[in-house]
Amino acid sequence: MATLRTPLPNQAAALTALCLRSKAVWGYDAAFLEACRPALTLTAEDWAESDLQIAVDGNRILGVAQVHASGDVAELDKLFIDPDARAAGVGRRLFGWCVEAALSRGATVMTIDADPGAAAFYRRIGAVDDGVVASTAIPGRLLPRLKLDLNDDRVRRR
């Protein structure tokens, strides 16, 4: 059973590696993943400027989540699950933590700039499409933007 906790800054390299392994499940080649590395790298600033949480099973990190909140808008920056832990409920648990973290910061909506492969997951848990945004990693690539109304009772009961 996974336990949620705040990661330590000395785990940044391991969390970055997890993000890259998770991204690779969508079939991206090495060059694409290398182009994504800067956006998927956790740094000391992430601990100072956002809320972070990991799911662990003993010493094994199963997933990582990161939320930035400013005013009434929160942004889901990262939600990555180790490929060996997919479909085990880890993503849903971490997403539930993201909702609670956003609410605790006063947010009423959460935006999600999703990998196209992950967008269906967010839709299943209540997010709705809200246009597209340019990728910060791959010039010319558009990503689905989704949003979640954090005041929706169905979201709060998840």
Side-chain angles (χ1 to χ4, degrees), residues 79 91-92 95-96 99 112 119-127 148 154-155 158:
L79 180 59
R92 280 187 178 269
F95 190 78
V99 168
I112 307 161
F121 167 78
Y122 297 116
R123 290 179 188 116
R124 281 193 305 274
I125 55 181
L148 186 71
R154 293 170 295 181
V155 170
R158 291 193 190 277

Side-chain angles (χ1 to χ4, degrees), residues 28-43:
Y28 299 124
D29 64 22
F32 183 97
L33 292 171
E34 197 55 37
C36 293
R37 181 179 293 277
L40 300 181
T41 297
L42 282 104
T43 66

Side-chain angles (χ1 to χ4, degrees), residues 52-102:
L52 291 161
Q53 193 77 175
I54 57 174
V56 296
D57 183 7
N59 291 327
R60 183 171 166 240
I61 301 172
L62 305 176
V64 60
Q66 180 181 19
V67 175
H68 285 94
S70 178
D72 62 350
V73 178
E75 176 188 351
L76 177 63
D77 191 47
K78 290 179 180 62
L79 180 59
F80 290 96
I81 308 304
D82 187 279
D84 293 336
R86 290 182 69 200
V90 175
R92 280 187 178 269
R93 287 203 51 215
L94 280 171
F95 190 78
W97 172 86
C98 293
V99 168
E100 293 305 316

Side-chain angles (χ1 to χ4, degrees), residues 82-153:
D82 187 279
D84 293 336
R86 290 182 69 200
V90 175
R92 280 187 178 269
R93 287 203 51 215
L94 280 171
F95 190 78
W97 172 86
C98 293
V99 168
E100 293 305 316
L103 286 166
S104 74
R105 298 280 185 176
T108 59
V109 67
M110 183 184 309
T111 63
I112 307 161
D113 297 346
D115 185 281
F121 167 78
Y122 297 116
R123 290 179 188 116
R124 281 193 305 274
I125 55 181
V128 296
D129 288 285
D130 192 36
V132 296
V133 294
S135 167
T136 60
I138 309 295
R141 183 171 193 239
L142 297 177
L143 301 173
R145 170 163 279 179
L146 297 102
K147 71 177 179 179
L148 186 71
D149 177 357
L150 298 174
N151 289 322
D152 186 325
D153 287 337

